[in-house]
Amino acid sequence: MGYEISWVHSHHLKKSSSTINTRSWCVCVSHQLNLTIMGRFTSPPAPPPTPPAILDNGLADFLVLSTPEIKNMCMFFFLWMIVAANQSKTVKDLASCLLASAGGGILIPIFLNDLPVFLKSETFLVYLMANFLLFKYLPGLRDLTKGSTTLLLFASFCAETFRANAVCAFVTAGMNAVGGTGEVFSFPLFAPIICGTLGGCGGGFFPLSKGLAPLDNGLNSKQRTALVGAIFFHLYTQTQKPLSAELAVMAGKMIVSVYFIFVAVSAELSQPTFIAKAKAS
């Protein structure tokens, strides 16, 4: 009797398990059919928008520092121009070059409760010391920079590209720090512009013992370009609706870089020494 009961129980369990397996198989097949049908009748995701031709070329990639190699080269020549315009003999001269090149990168992080730029980027310090040593032990480089039109224009092109992108980066940092909406407009207006302006010309106020003396004769070229570039980039990226946010930032950086380069190259070409050399040739 016990044998018959155990046989019936085991037979019932086998039948139940086979039924469960059959149901599981049917569920899996039904799920696969649903995925196949949905895949056939569901349209694929839309591809990302194609950037305009003016933003999809090698020059645009250079002007927005799209790769680390381009950024490092422009940073090197930015520091090259800073050291070439100052003395390079003593430790005090090195400190002056550091303040002149990273003044904005010191002021803005203080406002935004962040680390100064030269503490976050070791590459910046390495390039600064390399340029300082080059000009210290090869003083002829300073005369070569001033005397060679080709080298001067190329170095100015790279330096202004780096400075323009720094202004745009400080505007973005100020916008992210404030966040939200402004009290007057739909976006914060003055804080990002102030951050971008000081980020692009803050070195002119160092050491801080100068006070406001750099403004005694009005805005100089670097201060003016930093202010105009910061205003344009901020308003452009906040109001440019046809482009996506990423493309608007890229286009804004490119336009600001072109503006900085144009002003710097125009100033170099209008120097009396260049005009005299052009007439002599």
Side-chain angles (χ1 to χ4, degrees):
M1 183 67 179
Y3 174 77
E4 291 179 358
I5 292 174
S6 63
W7 180 86
V8 171
H9 181 66
S10 62
H11 180 71
H12 177 69
L13 290 177
K14 290 180 180 179
K15 185 177 179 180
S16 299
S17 64
S18 63
T19 303
I20 294 173
N21 291 335
T22 304
R23 288 178 180 175
S24 301
W25 180 82
C26 291
V27 171
C28 292
V29 171
S30 175
H31 182 65
Q32 292 294 333
L33 288 175
N34 288 335
L35 290 178
T36 304
I37 293 172
M38 291 298 293
R40 289 182 178 179
F41 292 98
T42 303
S43 58
T50 303
I54 194 173
L55 300 178
D56 191 15
N57 56 77
L59 179 59
D61 292 339
F62 187 94
L63 293 176
V64 300
L65 307 182
S66 60
T67 65
E69 293 79 11
I70 297 175
K71 179 180 178 180
N72 288 337
M73 183 181 71
C74 290
M75 182 193 299
F76 181 87
F77 280 104
F78 169 76
L79 295 171
W80 176 288
M81 295 296 289
I82 294 292
V83 177
N86 292 275
Q87 295 294 323
S88 54
K89 297 179 180 179
T90 63
V91 176
K92 181 180 179 181
D93 295 334
L94 178 60
S96 298
C97 291
L98 175 62
L99 294 176
S101 59
I106 296 173
L107 288 176
I108 304 307
I110 291 176
F111 297 159
L112 303 182
N113 194 25
D114 198 1
L115 283 175
V117 171
F118 65 89
L119 294 182
K120 296 174 66 175
S121 174
E122 293 184 348
T123 306
F124 189 93
L125 290 177
V126 170
Y127 286 173
L128 176 63
M129 290 186 287
N131 276 290
F132 185 83
L133 293 176
L134 282 174
F135 280 91
K136 179 177 182 179
Y137 294 105
L138 298 174
L141 288 177
R142 186 170 281 103
D143 296 331
L144 178 63
T145 303
K146 296 178 180 178
S148 174
T149 304
T150 303
L151 177 59
L152 183 61
L153 293 181
F154 178 75
S156 298
F157 186 94
C158 294
E160 292 304 309
T161 300
F162 182 80
R163 192 169 71 91
N165 279 266
V167 169
C168 297
F170 284 123
V171 170
T172 303
M175 183 66 187
N176 294 336
V178 177
T181 58
E183 296 181 359
V184 179
F185 302 96
S186 60
F187 54 87
L189 179 62
F190 293 106
I193 292 175
I194 292 173
C195 288
T197 302
L198 290 179
C201 65
F205 294 92
F206 277 88
L208 294 177
S209 57
K210 290 182 179 180
L212 298 179
L215 300 177
D216 288 345
N217 298 321
L219 298 178
N220 59 31
S221 176
K222 289 188 180 298
Q223 295 165 352
R224 188 181 304 109
T225 52
L227 176 61
V228 173
I231 293 174
F232 171 81
F233 179 78
H234 184 49
L235 296 181
Y236 182 84
T237 53
Q238 296 301 318
T239 59
Q240 189 67 17
K241 300 303 181 184
L243 296 176
S244 65
E246 182 179 356
L247 292 179
V249 170
M250 183 177 179
K253 287 182 178 181
M254 187 186 71
I255 295 172
V256 174
S257 296
V258 171
Y259 167 63
F260 277 39
I261 293 168
F262 176 78
V263 172
V265 171
S266 299
E268 295 295 344
L269 296 181
S270 61
Q271 292 292 330
T273 54
F274 179 84
I275 297 175
K277 288 169 61 177
K279 289 181 177 180
S281 61

